[in-house]
């Protein structure tokens, strides 16, 4: 039997709102590079790294190209 009362809010509206903020914050947003924006978004919200590790990994990725 499902629990009644408080339930977890759906994550979709939150993620959609965050993606919109990311895309609107870049005036020179290029739709041809949408995958790069989504990859960056997922990387930033990822729980796999702490913030310092994220910065280090991002710098390493930037210098690989």
């Amino acid at each position: 039997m499902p629990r009644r009362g408080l339930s977890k809010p759906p994550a979709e509206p939150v993620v959609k709102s965050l993606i919109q903020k990311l895309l609107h914050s870049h005036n020179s947003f290029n739709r041809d590079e949408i995958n790069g924006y989504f990859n960056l978004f997922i990387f930033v919200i990822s729980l796999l790294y702490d913030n310092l590790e994220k910065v280090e990994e991002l710098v390493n990725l930037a210098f690989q190209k």
Side-chain angles (χ1 to χ4, degrees), residues 54-65:
K54 284 182 188 180
V55 170
E56 181 181 7
E57 184 66 23
L58 191 58
V59 169
N60 290 337
L61 288 171
F63 283 111
Q64 284 180 356
K65 292 190 174 191

Side-chain angles (χ1 to χ4, degrees), residues 10-54:
E12 184 179 321
V14 173
V15 172
K16 183 178 178 183
S17 173
L18 291 172
I19 289 174
Q20 286 175 340
K21 286 181 183 179
L22 172 70
L23 297 179
H24 290 305
S25 68
H26 297 281
N27 293 335
S28 60
F29 170 66
N30 182 350
R31 291 185 185 273
D32 293 335
E33 298 177 1
I34 189 94
N35 287 337
Y37 286 95
F38 288 137
N39 289 340
L40 176 61
F41 174 78
I42 295 301
F43 181 80
V44 169
I45 66 167
S46 171
L47 299 176
L48 298 177
Y49 302 99
D50 68 24
N51 288 340
L52 291 176
E53 289 175 324
K54 284 182 188 180

